[in-house]
């Protein structure tokens, strides 16, 4: 076994980077390609699930089959019968990295996860194909009652807590891909932060697809109890293959009174992955939910993290960065639903399109009747780097209340010749100059990230910018 | 060997509008040249053509640095070869911190052969130097964390240009009205700083309408531009004369150039209305 198998073919945008490598693994079980009742039952059997979950899966499969493809967003050309829905890479989950099969451990070493864990993380989950292969949580947090486990384990070990919320924030009926995930889900994080517990360092999950034609369908549920505080971060990568693959997650978050949750995603999927994800949070009285959503990879991303402000004083904030290059379409955005009075929402979206890439902002702001004195502000800025690239804005606004403050600003810009000349005249190359302008463009969002992720984000932007200034 | 920047019979157009009509100028390293002339005569155009602005097309003539063809080089290569211009109107780069920008610029100019992606000057070393230079220019240390020219006052922009001059230490620098838009104290500070950083240490081409800057940086040569040509060259006393008496004598002495200058100004006024 080797982790150095070269990942040919290289993508057109020169993604010769540290994410693009394949690991030779055997895995302990791989379901046949395609989706049907038999496969869904098989997944449920292998996991030894209770009946309610098996029924939930089978009902979701029917919903999936009956739902049409989404009519918005990008072109989805997926043969659902040509995908592997379940691949179990190893028999057990490691509590230390030494418990993880060598070639998988090597993979995460290359991605820098154990190193980051030592330096600044309070807990880590590492998912490889369909299962979480490594999990850790600082001991004192566990003692305080914090739960950070994979969702399969939570079905067994925390059934009441899980069942109260699982599929309640995002039911399978929500959309075709939420139904698909509900039918074949595997892995993902389950987090419970008890009342008043505040975690200073982030909890991180890393999702790696390694095999060709592999679908990944993790399912995450985060419960932040009253007055608690957590920052959860997820990273996602995959090597480049010639065939397309699918990542379709469901993420449900509940933020109770006075609590705070920040959920940061840095998505750098290979450019042949459809990334179709449903993310939604409920925020209760005076709670704050923040989505920080960075989309740099994938062929097509359709993702609109949502916050429903259920009780007075709730806050929802969504910061979104999208970068699309050749062959990529980022249809990213946000949804804020004001369901109670005195709620505050903010969306800041920055998109960059280059080399024929396409970025769209698709957003919904809804104010329900009775949600008086609510405030909402949306700012979306697009930067287009060349005439082949494209940017669109689709803002939807549904206001059923008089007494509200709503703001919307949008701008589209190109890198100006004068800005470029100024930087060149100081000795920067064209590529350094345009990278610097792009990094400056997203700086207002990146400065919100913890330093390690800010550095990672700037580095990813640089990778996207490399080798393609014409 | 003394470095030489040599401009011969330079013709420059913007769009298809000829602006410079045969400029000859040789600057030796260590010399200070004053470039004077009424508005619209082509002073900034000469600087921008030396720096390689893509909107300023050299239609004939040459610019060489130590015999090497500067016109072959892009603006970034010119910067790395040791040419600098402090702009009359510097550009804002939102979101990019002065310190990051300057670290890239300084690294590239000091290590002209650096390949993209190679290490920058070590952070610690760079910060120390930047801090020293900023203190010397009496700039607040907070300045390094601000975004390049973004929301700067006119005076702050000019001082930021001087800071870049200090960091990049070019062989030749064009200073385009680096003293305008400043109050009297700031003009004195800028004049002293430039004298300190560049006078007799670089080849300077100073474009100015005021006398303070030249008092601190006495020029060996003064050139007068009119209608896209250098119509007269003298010593320091020519600058003094023009400061005291203005351009009437020049306009009368060179009626053809004056006519061209007026024509360009008239066209500007027309474009402004259109
Ligand atoms: N970017 C430009 N576009 C159009 N005309 C220009 C441009 N730059 C300079 N010019 C014209 O060239 C002439 C000289 O301008 P400039 O070099 O700025 O003069 P000075 O610096 O001596 O005041 C003016 O008529 C001006 O309008
Ligand atoms: Mg000028």
């Amino acid at each position: 076994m080797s982790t150095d198998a070269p990942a040919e073919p290289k993508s057109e945008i020169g993604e010769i980077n540290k994410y693009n490598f394949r690991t030779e693994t055997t895995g302990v079980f791989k379901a046949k390609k395609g989706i049907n009742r038999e496969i869904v039952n098989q997944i449920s059997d292998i996991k030894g699930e209770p009946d309610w979950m098996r029924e939930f899966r089978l009902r979701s499969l029917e919903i999936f089959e009956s739902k049409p493809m989404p009519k918005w967003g990008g072109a989805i050309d997926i043969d659902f019968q040509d995908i592997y829905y379940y691949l179990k890479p190893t028999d057990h989950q490691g509590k230390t990295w030494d418990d993880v099969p060598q070639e998988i451990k090597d993979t995460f070493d290359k991605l820098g996860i154990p190193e980051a864990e030592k330096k600044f993380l309070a807990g880590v989950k590492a998912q490889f194909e369909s299962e979480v292969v490594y999990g850790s949580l600082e001991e004192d947090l566990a003692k305080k009652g914090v739960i950070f486990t994979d969702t399969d384990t939570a079905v067994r070990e925390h059934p009441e807590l899980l069942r109260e919320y699982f599929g309640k924030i995002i039911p399978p009926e929500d959309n075709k891909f939420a139904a698909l995930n509900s039918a074949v889900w595997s892995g993902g994080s389950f987090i419970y932060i008890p009342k008043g517990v505040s975690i200073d360092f982030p909890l991180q999950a890393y999702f790696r697809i390694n095999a060709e034609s592999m679908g990944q369908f993790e399912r995450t549920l985060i419960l932040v109890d009253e007055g608690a505080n957590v920052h959860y971060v997820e990273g996602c990568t995959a090597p480049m293959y010639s065939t397309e693959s699918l990542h379709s997650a469901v993420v449900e978050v509940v933020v109770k009174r006075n609590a705070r949750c920040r959920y940061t995603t840095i998505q750098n999927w290979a450019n042949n992955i459809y990334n179709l994800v449903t993310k939604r949070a409920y925020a209760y009285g005076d709670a704050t939910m923040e989505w920080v959503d960075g989309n740099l990879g994938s062929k097509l991303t359709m993702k609109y993290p949502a916050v429903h402000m259920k009780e007075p004083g709730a806050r929802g904030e969504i910061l979104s960065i999208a970068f699309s290059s050749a062959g990529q379409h980022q249809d990213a955005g946000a949804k804020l639903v004001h369901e109670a009075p005195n709620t505050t929402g903010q969306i800041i979206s920055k998109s960059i399109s280059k080399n024929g890439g396409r970025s769209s902002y698709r957003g919904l702001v809804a104010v329900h009747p009775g949600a008086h004195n609510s405030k909402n502000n949306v700012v979306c800025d697009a930067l287009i780097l060349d005439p082949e690239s494209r940017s669109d804005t689709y803002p939807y606004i549904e206001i059923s209340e008089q007494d509200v403050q709503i703001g919307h600003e949008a701008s589209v810009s190109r890198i100006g010749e004068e800005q470029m000349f100024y930087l060149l005249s100081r000795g920067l190359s064209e590529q350094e100059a345009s990278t610097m302008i792009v990094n400056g463009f997203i700086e207002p969002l990146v400065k919100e990230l913890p330093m390690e992720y800010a550095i990672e984000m700037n580095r990813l932007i640089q990778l996207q910018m490399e080798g393609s200034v014409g | 060997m003394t470095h030489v920047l040599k401009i011969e019979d330079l013709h420059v157009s913007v769009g298809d509008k000829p602006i410079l009509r045969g400029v000859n100028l040789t600057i030796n390293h260590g010399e200070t040249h004053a470039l004077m002339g009424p508005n619209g005569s082509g002073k900034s155009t000469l600087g921008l053509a030396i720096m390689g602005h893509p909107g300023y097309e050299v239609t004939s003539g040459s610019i060489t640095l130590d015999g090497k063809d500067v016109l072959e080089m892009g603006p970034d290569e010119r910067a790395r070869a040791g040419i600098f211009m402090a702009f009359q109107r510097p550009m804002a780069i939102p979101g990019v911190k002065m310190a990051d920008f300057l670290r890239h610029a300084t690294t590239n100019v000091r290590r002209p052969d650096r390949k993209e992606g190679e290490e920058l000057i070590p952070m610690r070393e760079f910060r120390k130097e930047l801090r020293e230079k900023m203190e010397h220019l009496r700039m607040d240390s907070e300045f390094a964390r601000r975004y390049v020219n973004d929301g700067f006052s006119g005076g702050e922009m000019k001082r930021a240009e001087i800071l870049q001059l200090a960091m990049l230490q070019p062989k030749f620098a064009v200073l385009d009205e680096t003293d305008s838009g400043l109050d009297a104290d700031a003009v004195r500070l800028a004049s002293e700083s430039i004298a300190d950083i560049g006078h007799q240490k670089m080849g300077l081409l100073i474009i100015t309408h005021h006398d303070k800057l030249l008092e601190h940086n006495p020029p060996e040569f003064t050139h007068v531009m009119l209608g896209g040509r250098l119509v007269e060259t003298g010593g320091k006393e020519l600058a003094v004369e023009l400061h005291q008496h203005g351009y009437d004598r020049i306009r009368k002495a060179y009626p053809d150039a004056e006519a061209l200058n007026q024509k360009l100004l008239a066209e500007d006024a027309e474009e402004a209305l259109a």
Side-chain angles (χ1 to χ4, degrees):
Chain A
M1 282 185 213
S2 139
T3 55
D4 289 314
E8 298 295 331
K10 280 160 189 149
S11 87
E12 285 147 60
I13 65 153
E15 193 185 329
I16 310 161
N17 64 42
K18 71 169 187 174
Y19 309 106
N20 191 17
F21 62 91
R22 296 169 192 178
T23 307
E24 299 291 328
T25 59
T26 38
V28 298
F29 177 79
K30 191 174 194 175
K32 275 197 285 205
K33 263 189 185 174
I35 181 163
N36 50 47
R37 282 182 75 87
E38 189 193 331
I39 296 281
V40 171
N41 271 312
Q42 200 174 35
I43 292 172
S44 203
D45 287 343
I46 288 170
K47 293 177 179 291
E49 284 176 345
D51 287 346
W52 75 267
M53 185 58 83
R54 181 187 304 264
E55 280 152 25
F56 175 82
R57 288 180 182 277
L58 290 169
R59 182 166 70 83
S60 301
L61 176 64
E62 283 171 22
I63 296 166
F64 166 70
E65 285 168 343
S66 69
K67 283 231 177 227
M69 285 291 212
K71 287 181 193 61
W72 66 91
I76 305 173
D77 184 18
I78 301 175
D79 180 353
F80 288 106
Q81 299 306 339
D82 199 29
I83 289 174
Y84 294 105
Y85 286 83
Y86 183 73
L87 198 164
K88 185 174 186 165
T90 165
D91 256 335
H92 72 290
Q93 189 181 125
K95 286 209 163 47
T96 71
W97 282 105
D98 289 337
D99 291 345
V100 177
Q102 188 65 39
E103 65 280 5
I104 298 178
K105 174 180 181 287
D106 289 349
T107 301
F108 287 105
D109 269 336
K110 280 191 190 175
L111 298 169
I113 308 305
E115 201 188 316
E117 178 181 16
K118 270 183 237 148
K119 277 201 216 141
F120 63 90
L121 297 171
V124 170
K125 289 281 167 285
Q127 177 157 347
F128 193 83
E129 319 293 18
S130 303
E131 296 287 351
V132 173
V133 295
Y134 171 80
S136 74
L137 176 65
E138 278 180 2
E139 238 171 71
D140 60 319
L141 293 177
K143 279 195 195 123
K144 284 181 187 159
V146 172
I147 301 170
F148 181 28
T149 182
D150 63 279
T151 308
D152 296 282
T153 302
V155 172
R156 291 191 302 275
E157 296 181 1
H158 309 283
E160 304 79 32
L161 193 54
L162 178 123
R163 221 178 147 174
E164 192 178 339
Y165 298 99
F166 186 96
K168 301 285 165 46
I169 294 117
I170 303 171
E173 292 82 2
D174 193 82
N175 67 73
K176 190 172 181 75
F177 290 92
L180 176 63
N181 173 282
S182 300
V184 297
W185 74 268
S186 181
S189 303
F190 175 80
I191 296 175
Y192 173 73
I193 315 292
K195 275 183 195 170
V197 173
S198 181
I199 306 188
D200 298 332
F201 294 97
L203 300 177
Q204 177 166 322
Y206 201 95
F207 297 94
R208 177 77 177 172
I209 298 178
N210 177 66
E212 183 157 17
S213 301
M214 184 63 218
Q216 194 174 53
F217 305 94
E218 87 272 9
R219 178 109 197 172
T220 290
L221 176 58
I222 300 177
L223 308 170
V224 192
D225 215 331
E226 293 178 9
N229 178 11
V230 68
H231 183 188
Y232 175 81
V233 183
E234 63 177 0
C236 339
T237 60
M240 192 69 195
Y241 288 103
S242 52
T243 58
E244 269 117 28
S245 188
L246 173 61
H247 171 255
S248 189
V250 165
V251 176
E252 298 173 290
V253 181
V254 176
V255 196
K256 295 278 181 74
R257 283 189 47 232
N258 282 316
R260 183 186 184 99
C261 177
R262 169 175 278 202
Y263 189 119
T264 298
T265 302
I266 297 180
Q267 176 271 105
N268 189 34
W269 290 118
N271 288 0
N272 58 345
I273 291 197
Y274 286 97
N275 183 45
L276 310 170
V277 171
T278 311
K279 289 182 163 165
R280 190 172 302 155
Y282 283 178
Y284 291 89
D286 297 313
T288 298
M289 174 67 205
E290 297 166 302
W291 296 103
V292 179
D293 201 32
N295 292 299
L296 292 110
S298 84
K299 175 187 175 84
L300 168 68
T301 285
M302 286 169 60
K303 180 166 32 141
Y304 324 98
V307 185
H308 289 244
M309 290 158 271
K310 310 287 276 184
E311 289 180 355
R315 278 187 62 86
E317 188 166 322
I318 299 162
L319 307 179
S320 164
I321 298 172
F323 194 128
S324 59
S325 190
Q328 289 186 284
H329 183 180
Q330 306 284 9
D331 197 78
K335 286 184 195 172
L336 288 172
V337 183
H338 297 261
E339 299 181 10
N342 306 317
T343 48
T344 313
Q346 161 138 307
I347 297 170
I348 301 177
S349 155
K350 299 244 174 193
S351 76
I352 300 138
S353 316
K354 169 180 150 264
N355 273 8
R358 180 173 174 198
S359 304
S360 318
Y361 165 79
R362 190 179 300 279
L364 170 70
V365 172
V367 181
H368 287 186
H372 55 80
N373 194 31
S374 290
K375 296 190 185 72
N376 192 292
N377 195 42
V378 178
V379 180
C380 45
D381 298 324
L383 182 63
I384 303 178
L385 299 191
D386 48 58
E388 293 73 47
S389 303
R390 176 171 167 189
S391 161
D392 310 281
T393 309
Y394 306 98
Y396 303 93
I397 300 180
E398 296 166 6
I399 313 283
S400 319
E401 176 63 48
Q402 294 283 312
D403 172 26
V404 291
Q405 278 179 43
I406 303 288
H408 182 97
E409 294 167 40
S411 77
V412 179
S413 51
R414 292 171 192 277
I415 292 185
E417 188 183 62
E418 296 295 332
Q419 274 187 332
M420 198 69 190
F421 172 67
Y422 188 70
L423 295 179
L424 293 183
S425 78
R426 297 312 186 227
L428 274 67
S429 69
E430 270 190 45
Q431 185 171 307
E432 284 174 319
S434 50
T435 302
M436 194 168 262
I437 292 170
V438 168
N439 275 326
F441 174 72
I442 59 166
E443 158 75 10
L445 296 194
V446 170
K447 73 170 189 229
E448 295 292 317
L449 300 174
M451 190 183 65
E452 290 81 4
Y453 299 104
I455 291 170
E456 175 75 354
M457 186 63 99
N458 288 137
R459 230 180 47 73
L460 291 174
I461 295 280
Q462 183 158 351
L463 274 177
Q464 286 273 28
M465 295 297 292
E466 261 165 30
S468 48
V469 171
Chain B
M1 182 191 84
T2 16
H3 301 291
V4 188
L5 183 69
K6 198 165 190 153
I7 297 160
E8 285 176 299
D9 194 29
L10 191 73
H11 290 250
V12 173
S13 295
V14 176
D16 42 16
K17 187 164 72 171
I19 312 285
L20 298 189
R21 299 159 184 271
V23 172
N24 292 288
L25 178 63
T26 299
I27 305 177
N28 289 300
H29 192 254
E31 288 175 355
T32 298
H33 293 239
L35 177 58
M36 305 185 62
N39 278 339
S41 57
K43 304 180 296 296
S44 294
T45 298
L46 176 60
L48 292 166
I50 293 171
M51 202 68 242
H53 190 297
Y56 293 74
E57 192 198 346
V58 174
T59 50
S60 67
S62 70
I63 305 177
T64 57
L65 173 60
D66 299 336
K68 268 185 274 159
D69 185 359
V70 168
L71 298 177
E72 285 279 292
M73 306 178 193
D76 51 335
E77 294 168 298
R78 296 182 197 199
R80 289 180 223 176
I83 300 175
F84 179 91
M85 178 169 183
F87 295 102
Q88 192 175 352
R89 281 176 286 273
M91 287 304 295
I93 318 285
V96 176
K97 294 197 185 84
M98 280 298 291
D100 292 336
F101 160 62
L102 274 171
R103 189 164 164 232
H104 268 87
T106 309
T107 305
N108 283 359
V109 168
R110 290 196 192 157
R111 298 214 310 261
D113 299 327
R114 171 179 173 265
K115 303 228 165 32
E116 229 144 77
E118 283 178 16
E119 291 294 301
L120 298 173
I121 301 174
M123 183 64 102
R124 206 173 270 229
E125 190 182 312
F126 171 77
R127 283 220 182 116
K128 183 164 170 284
E129 183 183 341
L130 182 63
R131 197 173 331 115
E132 285 167 5
K133 296 244 154 83
M134 286 174 61
E135 268 168 29
H136 197 78
L137 294 172
R138 279 175 261 168
M139 294 173 89
D140 196 273
S141 63
E142 189 252 347
F143 213 77
R145 288 188 294 273
R146 287 176 66 186
Y147 299 146
V148 178
N149 295 320
D150 196 21
F152 283 21
S153 69
E156 284 172 331
M157 278 193 203
K158 297 298 163 86
R159 293 175 69 192
E161 294 290 291
I162 297 172
L163 175 63
Q164 294 174 50
L165 177 74
M167 290 300 291
L168 299 181
Q169 296 286 331
K171 297 189 185 93
F172 293 93
V174 181
L175 308 180
D176 194 357
E177 301 198 22
T178 305
D179 54 352
S180 62
L182 304 180
D183 62 31
D185 285 346
V187 168
R188 189 165 37 76
L189 180 59
S191 305
E192 287 169 3
S193 307
I194 289 165
D196 198 29
I197 299 161
H199 190 53
Q200 296 179 338
K201 297 184 189 117
M202 306 170 181
L204 292 179
L205 181 63
I206 299 181
I207 302 172
T208 179
H209 293 299
H210 308 290
D211 48 6
K212 261 279 169 306
L213 187 49
L214 294 180
E215 265 174 36
H216 285 86
N217 298 272
E220 281 89 6
F221 302 93
T222 300
H223 311 276
V224 187
M225 189 171 271
L226 189 67
R229 246 185 237 134
L230 297 183
V231 292
E232 216 169 89
T233 291
K236 197 174 95 183
E237 71 296 335
L238 178 56
V240 174
E241 181 219 310
L242 297 173
H243 280 136
Q244 285 174 356
H245 303 294
Y247 293 102
D248 284 353
R249 178 182 69 75
I250 299 282
R251 290 183 199 276
K252 287 202 190 92
Y254 307 97
D256 294 355
E258 168 62 4
L260 285 171
N261 214 76
Q262 291 302 332
K263 182 166 164 270
L264 279 175
L265 281 179
E267 280 170 14
D268 286 354
E270 252 169 56
E271 276 166 33
L273 286 176

